[in-house]
Amino acid sequence: MELSLIIPCYNEEKNIFPFYEACKEALKSETEYIFINDGSKDQTFLEIKKLILENPKSNIKCLNFSRNFGKEAAMLAGMQKSKGKYVAIIDADLQQNPKYVQKMLDFLKDHGEYDSVACYQEKRIESKLKIFFKKRFYKFINKLSEVEFPENASDFRLLKRSVVNSILELKEYYRFSKGIFSWVGYDTYYMPYKVEERKYGTTSWSMKKLFKYALDGIISYSLLPLKIATVLGFISFIISIIYLIIIIIEKLTVGIAISGYPTIVCLILFFGGLQMILMGILGEYLGRTYMETKRRPKYIIKNDVDINTLKR
Ligand code: UDP
Ligand code: MG
């Protein structure tokens, strides 16, 4: 098998057939299609089964999750299932044109020194607010973290088998693929591509989901927030010592009139708030540690189908 295509699908019923047609036209190599139906609420799974039955000669497989586990889990399942020498990850919504897969493949074959190719958007076609927050996020996480997060690089990639095997060795529950791709290293070539409009359906990324994703990324790849507590505690300790010395000198020289009530209230509120925030940060890490220790599976497969199982 030369190429495995991993296609995470969540509510993509109308895109399945057009997507396959576009792939068939664009790809020249022997290809294995792995659709992952990530708990879609529409007819996606039925459509994929229909696609398999209508194209018995093509190598199409589908993993049907027992519920929605997220794109990260879907990509992982696909990689575990894949057999190809090269593995590509591509969205089902046709925003990522399959012809770039062929382009990436040709590039990797011509340039043996590279191990993977990642597509990046030269220009984002999203709301200004999303672009703004994403920019901030990349600035922030690149400051905090040791691995590098290239801005605008997407999950739309082609990987050599060796890279896939390395990725599969990372067993963490909270998977942040952008970090994982960087963490495993290897030489990645960044190829510009043009994102197309979604064919059917809507994006499943709300602002809230994006924030949660960003937080996962920061916490998974940096321990710096934990150090904030140490630094702030140290600073306030030194300030309090200085203040103590001032008070003692004041008492010994001029004496103290009773006052400073507002100051005390402000200080109590300030340090109370600060402690809460820092405890919250601790809690975020602790919670994730707790989840990791449970060692739950990252996804559950309800059906694993291909042409052979469907015909039976
Ligand atoms: N997706 C998925 N599980 C989810 C959400 C999305 O498998 O919980 C898939 C979705 O079907 C699509 C890809 O991930 O193929 C990218 O999702 P989407 O198009 O919503 O994201 P965007 O392109 O807006 O970043
Ligand atoms: Mg999309």
Side-chain angles (χ1 to χ4, degrees):
M1 186 63 53
E2 168 117 313
L3 175 68
S4 298
L5 272 193
I6 298 175
I7 314 130
C9 309
Y10 177 63
N11 295 345
E12 306 279 9
E13 57 181 6
K14 290 215 178 83
N15 291 322
I16 301 297
F17 273 82
F19 173 82
Y20 176 72
E21 292 306 323
C23 286
K24 230 172 56 182
E25 207 182 292
L27 300 173
K28 287 176 253 153
S29 319
E30 181 201 14
T31 306
E32 159 192 57
Y33 295 83
I34 305 173
F35 287 91
I36 295 100
N37 178 33
D38 185 13
S40 299
K41 298 199 167 60
D42 62 2
Q43 304 297 317
T44 302
F45 187 44
L46 264 178
E47 285 293 306
I48 298 172
K49 282 198 279 191
K50 218 162 92 191
L51 182 75
I52 295 176
L53 285 171
E54 283 180 23
N55 299 280
K57 292 236 163 57
S58 305
N59 190 349
I60 309 175
K61 295 162 185 165
C62 178
L63 299 174
N64 186 34
F65 281 2
S66 64
R67 64 169 170 87
N68 181 252
F69 282 94
K71 188 183 171 186
E72 296 286 341
M75 292 194 294
L76 175 69
M79 280 191 228
Q80 280 168 339
K81 176 110 184 141
S82 68
K83 298 253 159 53
K85 230 171 99 187
Y86 298 92
V87 175
I89 302 163
I90 182 169
D91 290 354
D93 56 11
L94 283 165
Q95 280 189 285
Q96 304 170 339
N97 195 322
K99 69 173 195 241
Y100 288 105
V101 176
Q102 189 60 47
K103 255 187 164 173
M104 291 195 276
L105 193 60
D106 293 341
F107 181 89
L108 263 196
K109 283 182 178 168
D110 288 349
H111 298 78
E113 69 273 25
Y114 285 103
D115 308 290
S116 70
V117 187
C119 278
Y120 74 93
Q121 278 169 258
E122 279 183 306
K123 241 186 168 172
R124 284 189 179 273
I125 43 158
E126 286 174 314
S127 71
K128 285 235 162 68
L129 197 68
K130 267 191 188 167
I131 295 177
F132 174 81
F133 276 118
K134 284 186 177 175
K135 251 211 151 84
R136 288 288 148 298
F137 167 72
Y138 281 108
K139 268 237 161 80
F140 189 61
I141 198 163
N142 276 321
K143 272 221 173 90
L144 291 189
S145 170
E146 275 153 35
V147 295
E148 212 198 317
F149 290 78
E151 206 178 320
N152 291 347
S154 61
D155 294 336
F156 186 25
R157 292 165 185 257
L158 183 77
L159 313 166
K160 272 189 187 162
R161 173 62 25 196
S162 49
V163 182
V164 174
N165 288 343
S166 299
I167 289 174
L168 290 179
E169 276 184 40
L170 273 72
K171 305 284 185 213
E172 63 234 60
Y173 184 81
Y174 284 94
R175 298 187 82 79
F176 188 76
S177 58
K178 287 192 169 59
I180 290 177
F181 290 135
S182 307
W183 192 91
V184 294
Y186 292 100
D187 291 307
T188 305
Y189 177 77
Y190 292 95
M191 185 183 271
Y193 87 118
K194 208 178 138 280
V195 179
E196 277 156 54
E197 290 288 342
R198 219 173 200 289
K199 271 261 150 49
Y200 299 98
T202 51
T203 172
S204 45
W205 286 97
S206 60
M207 223 39 189
K208 194 176 142 203
K209 256 184 155 175
L210 275 176
F211 270 116
K212 213 182 138 269
Y213 189 65
L215 191 67
D216 275 346
I218 291 168
I219 290 181
S220 302
Y221 284 89
S222 171
L223 293 178
L224 214 63
L226 284 175
K227 294 186 184 131
I228 296 173
T230 322
V231 174
L232 287 181
F234 204 69
I235 293 173
S236 73
F237 177 71
I238 291 180
I239 292 177
S240 73
I241 295 283
I242 294 171
Y243 191 55
L244 183 76
I245 294 171
I246 293 174
I247 290 181
I248 292 175
I249 294 173
E250 211 182 350
K251 171 83 183 161
L252 291 179
T253 51
V254 287
I256 299 173
I258 298 171
S259 70
Y261 174 72
T263 320
I264 290 174
V265 174
C266 283
L267 283 178
I268 289 176
L269 286 179
F270 177 75
F271 283 105
L274 199 64
Q275 277 169 357
M276 291 290 183
I277 293 171
L278 296 175
M279 255 161 55
I281 294 177
L282 263 180
E284 293 285 345
Y285 281 89
L286 185 66
R288 278 170 181 74
T289 314
Y290 172 61
M291 290 304 283
E292 292 285 357
T293 55
K294 289 192 187 188
R295 300 195 159 270
R296 285 193 181 156
K298 284 139 207 138
Y299 54 83
I300 294 169
I301 294 173
K302 189 169 144 191
N303 317 88
D304 179 349
V305 298
D306 56 24
I307 186 70
N308 298 321
T309 49
L310 279 184
K311 267 196 176 152
R312 237 181 270 150

